[in-house]
Amino acid sequence: DIQLTQSPSFLSASVGDRVTITCRASQDISSYLAWYQQKPGKAPKVLIYAASTLESGVPSRFSGSGSGTDFTLTISSLQPEDFATYYCQQFNSYVPLTFGGGTKVEIK
Amino acid sequence: QVQLRESGPGLVKPSETLSLTCTVSGYSISSTYYWGWIRQPPGKGLEWIGSIYRSGSTYYNPSLKSRVTISVDTSKNQFSLKLSSVTATDTAVYYCVRGALMVVTARFDCWGLGNLVTVSS
């Protein structure tokens, strides 16, 4: 199985802050990586796919980068509605598809 | 607008079979895309269970493969999950999802609201 390690697992930030979350794969996954946002009691929502492509309707303050084993999700200016948990997911090896452990972003 | 909705019992007894159905509206499951299930134990992360294509080809998480069956009913525009021999560790919110797989643009772009299934006697 391909393991995805997210860091940090928790971060505290203020509105307007630039936030970066990293996702490291246990082997090369090319650009087969997606990022999701999940708010409490809600289903996850895709933000980024193919490592850096913004899903339609997602604000441009979200961006993704990376390839191979190291990836980042950046929120350029954190907004109140961005406080949530973020997950990465790899699609390079689909048996099984795997998720990172999640990064919870909370208000400082 | 594509919508997915899970249905099924919220309580299942240990050793029994968990059965959930996902009804899709706004899109034909006979078209492109994979359809599948993801679960999330309370307070924990996401686990992919498996996916099925319109052809009936299935892909299962090896950790669950011996207990999982995913099937499609194109006449009802639904797909289903069966998980046998459940234990308390199968307690989770179960999401049905639409996904593009095996392409560089792969992601799960549509999710149901989720169905909490508790395994308890």
Side-chain angles (χ1 to χ4, degrees):
Chain A
D1 297 8
I2 295 177
Q3 311 299 322
L4 296 178
T5 303
Q6 284 185 238
S7 60
S9 56
F10 173 88
L11 74 86
S12 182
S14 300
V15 172
D17 283 353
R18 181 182 181 88
V19 168
T20 299
I21 298 168
T22 65
C23 178
R24 176 163 289 175
S26 59
Q27 63 190 74
D28 189 339
I29 59 170
S30 185
S31 296
Y32 290 84
L33 188 98
W35 289 96
Y36 300 86
Q37 176 194 65
Q38 186 179 32
K39 296 182 179 179
K42 302 293 186 183
K45 166 190 167 184
V46 63
L47 301 174
I48 301 283
Y49 62 93
S52 61
T53 302
L54 196 67
E55 179 75 5
S56 176
V58 174
S60 59
R61 63 181 179 272
F62 291 92
S63 63
S65 65
S67 67
T69 60
D70 293 306
F71 303 86
T72 61
L73 172 70
T74 299
I75 309 172
S76 61
S77 178
L78 198 65
Q79 297 302 301
E81 60 268 30
D82 300 337
F83 292 94
T85 301
Y86 294 84
Y87 294 92
C88 57
Q89 183 192 12
Q90 66 81 21
F91 286 87
N92 185 71
S93 172
Y94 47 88
V95 185
L97 298 173
T98 50
F99 290 89
T103 296
K104 187 173 184 179
V105 177
E106 290 200 341
I107 302 173
K108 182 182 284 185
Chain B
Q1 182 182 357
V2 183
Q3 291 188 326
L4 286 68
R5 186 180 75 249
E6 305 88 353
S7 59
L11 181 64
V12 180
K13 290 182 169 54
S15 80
E16 295 189 344
T17 296
L18 178 160
S19 295
L20 294 173
T21 297
C22 183
T23 300
V24 180
S25 58
Y27 193 86
S28 171
I29 62 171
S30 298
S31 300
T32 318
Y33 287 105
Y34 288 76
W35 306 90
W37 296 90
I38 290 168
R39 70 180 183 178
Q40 185 172 38
K44 297 188 178 180
L46 300 163
E47 180 181 34
W48 173 74
I49 298 170
S51 296
I52 188 167
Y53 193 56
R54 58 181 176 175
S55 63
S57 298
T58 52
Y59 304 88
Y60 297 137
N61 192 321
S63 68
L64 299 168
K65 186 174 183 178
S66 63
R67 299 193 291 130
V68 172
T69 302
I70 297 175
S71 58
V72 169
D73 185 339
T74 55
S75 67
K76 295 181 179 178
N77 220 39
Q78 295 176 333
F79 60 100
S80 299
L81 168 70
K82 292 188 184 301
L83 181 65
S84 64
S85 305
V86 297
T87 69
T89 58
D90 294 310
T91 294
V93 175
Y94 286 75
Y95 295 101
C96 58
V97 294
R98 183 182 81 167
L101 302 183
M102 305 183 194
V103 292
V104 69
T105 54
R107 76 269 199 200
F108 290 118
D109 66 343
C110 291
W111 295 64
L113 296 178
N115 187 326
L116 174 62
V117 179
T118 301
V119 178
S120 175
S121 55

